Amino acid sequence: MSEMSDARTGARAPELPDGTTRYGVTRDELQALLVDQPRYRVDQVWSGLYSHLAEPEALTNLPKALRADLDRLLPVALDAVTEQTSDGGETVKWLWGLHDGARIETVLMHYDERSTVCISSQAGCAMGCTFCATGQAGFDRQLTTGEIVEQVVRAARRARDDHRRLSNVVFMGMGEPLANYEPSWRAVERIHADVGLSARHLTISTVGVVPGIRRLAAEALPVNLAVSLHAADDALRDELVPLNRRYPLSALMDACAGYLQAKGRRLSFEWALIDGVNDRDRDADLLIERSRSLPLPAHVNLIPLNPTPGYPVRGTPMRRVRAFRDRLRAGGVNATLRQTRGTEIDAACGQLAAGQPVTIDRRS
Ligand code: SAH
Ligand code: SF4
């Protein structure tokens, strides 16, 4: 307890690296911090934080002074700037302020069968995809494991308050998870082992960072992989997704095949349908070819492009979206339309840009 008491007078706990947060601290670090406590304390704190999703002050099985010390030594990483709801309360978007003023967003979506949280892996994004609000705003900084995991915990708490259970996590918020590999992967491990979600309920979405996909294929946990394809020929993809110039489709498809071989899991292609750009019959036919060239045909998730301030092209009209889907299906490719959520609070795919002015604030 001596080190902890020092902290109460303002000293930093020497057992913790700088910037350690409540959901970033490792079990070993916690053990070192609680070295003067009975051994069972580590389990009590850990299960309080993860199984009960509790704040230290709510852990009434701990002595009061210890709760206060934990609260101070393990600060929360996310400070809610706004919380907005839409879709009759079924979608919640948070804008979080981080300790250094950086901002990120998280979106929780309740469906009949599941509750999914869409989390950010970076503040901003350096990939520069032209149609994406995060890409338009540019890169701010990498997120830490604690900042990533805490988004899941905050959403899980909210789901519990809504009498739901958080069931799925998708890395489809701000940022490119495979360009922040280690913190993102450690977060996956923590979400799996401690928050308790199985790997098949976790999805990493990438724009096509080939070395990252190869690394992912060598990991033990078989998470779902979503690849944001959007174009099946290099000329168009170079335009929409600048990273394609570095990792062209041949390299990307090779890495996807490797992932499938390693994991035996279905892979999905994300395709934002852009009016007159990638929604023609020819685009569908090329996509069918790409999808079927894999050891297991990729599943295609279609979504009409959501509007963003920096990209003046419209999303494909619904009639054409359905025709595109039907053409894929007729070509032997499993395709589904993604339900759009939260467009009115700029919470939909590709709309997350924490620097943008907030238009509606319907805090409940
Ligand atoms: N950087 C990763 C994950 C975050 S983006 C990636 O790109 O995969 C999450 C998803 O939103 C991606 O599939 C991305 O292509 C899609 N997206 C980006 N802008 C969009 C927009 N304006 N409308 C619809 N989807 C968009
Ligand atoms: Fe980054 Fe993904 Fe947006 Fe591209 S689509 S800019 S990779 S967040």
Side-chain angles (χ1 to χ4, degrees):
M1 195 65 197
S2 53
E3 305 290 4
M4 309 269 296
S5 304
D6 287 350
R8 234 178 297 159
T9 61
R12 207 173 55 77
E15 302 83 356
L16 297 179
D18 270 348
T20 300
T21 60
R22 193 160 299 176
Y23 287 94
V25 70
T26 65
R27 226 186 139 97
D28 287 348
E29 288 162 357
L30 188 65
Q31 192 140 21
L33 191 68
L34 298 176
V35 70
D36 296 336
Q37 293 280 325
R39 291 181 66 87
Y40 56 82
R41 287 277 186 248
V42 178
D43 281 342
Q44 283 181 325
V45 173
W46 203 255
S47 82
L49 289 176
Y50 289 97
S51 310
H52 302 287
L53 307 170
E55 304 282 11
E57 56 269 27
L59 302 178
T60 47
N61 55 348
L62 304 182
K64 205 161 185 231
L66 179 58
R67 282 184 257 156
D69 282 340
L70 288 170
D71 191 53
R72 178 178 321 223
L73 290 168
L74 300 174
V76 292
L78 310 177
D79 184 26
V81 179
T82 58
E83 179 184 312
Q84 298 168 268
T85 57
S86 74
D87 305 316
E90 300 291 85
T91 303
V92 187
K93 178 176 91 166
W94 290 273
L95 170 63
W96 307 109
L98 310 181
H99 71 90
D100 59 351
R103 296 197 161 185
I104 57 164
E105 292 177 331
T106 304
V107 183
L108 171 67
M109 292 156 289
H110 295 309
Y111 300 93
D112 289 348
E113 304 290 317
R114 64 186 195 281
S115 289
T116 299
V117 66
C118 177
I119 59 171
S120 297
S121 55
Q122 300 179 309
C125 184
M127 297 296 162
C129 304
T130 45
F131 51 85
C132 168
T134 311
Q136 289 157 16
F139 180 71
D140 190 354
R141 72 161 166 88
Q142 303 287 19
L143 297 189
T144 63
T145 300
E147 288 164 339
I148 299 172
V149 173
E150 196 174 314
Q151 294 173 66
V152 175
V153 170
R154 303 289 280 262
R157 264 187 215 148
R158 171 60 185 248
R160 185 177 62 188
D161 293 347
D162 291 346
H163 308 289
R164 306 292 291 261
R165 201 183 63 80
L166 183 74
S167 55
N168 296 69
V169 175
V170 295
F171 283 72
M172 292 190 182
M174 302 172 78
E176 168 50 52
L178 300 186
N180 185 22
Y181 193 95
E182 275 168 27
S184 296
W185 188 256
R186 280 195 299 268
V188 164
E189 291 179 326
R190 188 75 61 85
I191 294 162
H192 174 261
D194 301 306
V195 181
L197 298 184
S198 70
R200 73 199 154 85
H201 290 133
L202 311 180
T203 301
I204 296 223
S205 179
T206 179
V207 75
V209 179
V210 164
I213 296 174
R214 295 207 183 282
R215 228 174 132 181
L216 212 54
E219 301 284 3
L221 284 177
V223 297
N224 300 312
L225 181 62
V227 173
S228 299
L229 205 62
H230 308 307
D233 65 289
D234 281 315
L236 179 58
R237 199 162 191 270
D238 281 352
E239 253 178 62
L240 297 174
V241 175
L243 190 72
N244 196 68
R245 295 173 208 152
R246 182 132 157 235
Y247 303 114
L249 281 160
S250 55
L252 177 56
M253 298 302 292
D254 220 53
C256 289
Y259 193 80
L260 279 170
Q261 264 146 6
K263 301 284 170 235
R265 266 287 155 84
R266 193 180 74 177
L267 183 133
S268 62
F269 287 150
E270 307 296 307
W271 194 280
L273 281 158
I274 312 172
D275 197 22
V277 173
N278 65 355
D279 61 356
R280 300 154 300 178
D281 286 350
R282 190 182 100 81
D283 300 305
D285 294 342
L286 286 174
L287 173 54
I288 292 167
E289 226 175 274
R290 294 285 182 195
S291 171
R292 296 189 56 168
S293 73
L294 291 171
L296 201 72
H299 179 103
V300 175
N301 277 318
L302 298 170
I303 182 168
L305 182 84
N306 287 308
T308 58
Y311 189 71
V313 188
R314 286 191 315 155
T316 298
M318 225 40 211
R319 199 166 39 82
R320 179 75 207 133
V321 170
R322 287 195 203 95
F324 194 91
R325 175 198 61 191
D326 294 344
R327 192 172 180 92
L328 294 181
R329 285 183 179 166
V333 171
N334 207 331
T336 44
L337 299 188
R338 269 245 297 271
Q339 230 176 305
T340 295
R341 279 294 188 89
T343 35
E344 59 175 307
I345 54 169
D346 289 344
C349 278
Q351 289 189 323
L352 302 187
Q356 304 292 324
V358 174
T359 45
I360 310 169
D361 191 352
R362 287 204 252 129
R363 233 177 289 194
S364 47

